């Protein structure tokens, strides 16, 4: 197993306090993913798949264990640098309703500090890739469900990440 472009999960647990006591959303999982691998997380509703994705996005910290990228705990990476490595398509798309299609995609570039010139060049290209080039001035609520999904994919692709994470 090479260390380059290696994502490793070691004894990862996430527990939440609930009405019924301590509930484990992720319970002591360990695995590694090397560059070029395609990995699917399978399980019933409530198995912790979305929670794991949120851990990868650093929206949660694990209760115990760790996630490393190239041997470094992901919490030690600069957030902007780290998030430029991943494109994420969330289960609920996480589109910003009061922003246009163009601005939803541009937002992902602004978050990592891209220059406006790069944004003006890249966003139309990515919208064309997903077939939304004629809808750039529309808002998410004006799109069909399939178009909203393609918008979420465009936002995941726009920073040319090395890894795409898609929740369902």
């Amino acid at each position: 197993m090479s260390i380059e472009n290696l994502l490793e999960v070691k004894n990862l647990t996430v527990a939440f306090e609930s009405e019924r006591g301590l509930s484990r959303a992720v319970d002591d999982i360990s695995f590694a993913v090397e560059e070029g691998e395609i990995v699917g997380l399978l399980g019933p509703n409530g198995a912790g798949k979305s929670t794991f994705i949120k851990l990868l996005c650093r929206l949660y910290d694990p209760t115990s264990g760790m996630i490393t990228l190239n041997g470094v705990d992901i919490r030690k990476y600069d957030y902007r640098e780290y998030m430029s490595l991943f494109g994420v398509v969330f289960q609920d798309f996480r589109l910003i309703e009061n922003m246009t299609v163009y601005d939803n995609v541009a937002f992902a570039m602004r978050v990592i500090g891209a220059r406006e010139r790069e944004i003006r060049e890249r966003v139309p290209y990515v919208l064309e890739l997903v077939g939304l080039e004629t809808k750039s001035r529309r808002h998410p609520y004006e799109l069909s469900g399939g178009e909203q999904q393609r918008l979420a994919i465009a936002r995941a692709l726009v920073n040319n990440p090395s890894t795409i994470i898609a929740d369902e």
Side-chain angles (χ1 to χ4, degrees):
M1 199 177 334
S2 95
I3 188 110
E4 190 161 331
N5 294 317
L6 172 70
L7 180 74
E8 195 167 9
V9 176
K10 299 175 188 172
N11 305 106
L12 194 69
T13 296
V14 178
F16 296 103
E17 207 45 62
S18 72
E19 297 167 356
R20 298 183 204 136
L22 198 60
S23 173
R24 292 179 190 267
V26 175
D27 192 12
D28 194 30
I29 62 171
S30 296
F31 63 91
V33 180
E34 290 190 63
E35 183 176 9
E37 282 190 282
I38 297 174
V39 176
L41 295 177
L42 305 174
N45 289 345
K49 301 177 301 292
S50 293
T51 298
F52 178 72
I53 289 170
K54 289 174 184 172
L55 284 165
L56 278 179
C57 294
R58 293 175 47 187
L59 299 175
Y60 296 145
D61 283 330
T63 305
S64 64
M66 70 169 34
I67 302 172
T68 61
L69 180 63
N70 301 326
V72 177
D73 184 329
I74 65 170
R75 293 172 287 193
K76 295 190 186 220
Y77 280 88
D78 172 78
Y79 185 75
R80 285 182 175 186
E81 173 193 0
Y82 178 76
M83 289 312 299
S84 71
L85 302 172
F86 295 95
V88 182
V89 181
F90 289 99
Q91 186 175 31
D92 61 0
F93 306 144
R94 302 255 170 116
L95 303 174
I96 304 168
E97 292 295 325
N98 65 343
M99 284 187 181
T100 64
V101 165
Y102 179 96
D103 287 331
N104 263 276
V105 177
F107 179 76
M109 293 186 75
R110 289 185 179 108
V111 165
I112 65 161
R115 292 189 172 98
E116 285 302 313
R117 181 176 181 201
E118 288 177 88
I119 293 169
R120 284 192 306 271
E121 291 173 5
R122 181 90 178 141
V123 171
Y125 168 73
V126 174
L127 288 176
E128 186 176 348
L129 283 177
V130 298
L132 293 176
E133 66 276 10
T134 64
K135 309 235 175 178
S136 66
R137 292 188 175 165
R138 298 236 174 120
H139 288 83
Y141 57 83
E142 297 176 286
L143 304 176
S144 71
E147 289 169 330
Q148 288 179 15
Q149 187 171 42
R150 286 186 282 146
L151 173 55
I153 292 167
R155 196 174 51 196
L157 292 173
V158 75
N159 289 316
N160 201 25
S162 58
T163 303
I164 298 290
I165 300 167
D167 191 357
E168 291 189 38

